Amino acid sequence: MSSAAMASEIFRIALPESPTAETAAFLLALQRAERAGLPVEVTVLAGEEAVIDAVASGIADAGVGTP
């Protein structure tokens, strides 16, 4: 995907819980990506199963959870 195409689409990320100290570095990286021109949308869902479902169905582009 070209950088122009990436900049025009929102990168949607699903989290299984509200942000915590454990996700602070990840959220900081997302903030830096936004400043660099990548629109990011973070959604908090009700658990890891919901995150998996969101990514599998295309509602989210990426999900965060434990392995």
Side-chain angles (χ1 to χ4, degrees):
M1 183 182 290
S2 72
S3 60
M6 287 189 340
S8 67
E9 294 184 27
I10 296 175
F11 187 68
R12 302 163 300 164
I13 300 170
L15 296 176
E17 59 190 32
S18 296
T20 63
E22 293 176 345
T23 58
F26 177 72
L27 295 173
L28 179 60
L30 291 179
Q31 195 173 48
R32 288 182 178 176
E34 279 190 301
R35 279 192 245 139
L38 177 65
V40 176
E41 177 183 287
V42 177
T43 303
V44 177
L45 301 174
E48 292 180 4
E49 297 253 346
V51 170
I52 292 167
D53 290 341
V55 173
S57 67
I59 294 170
D61 297 307
V64 176
T66 57

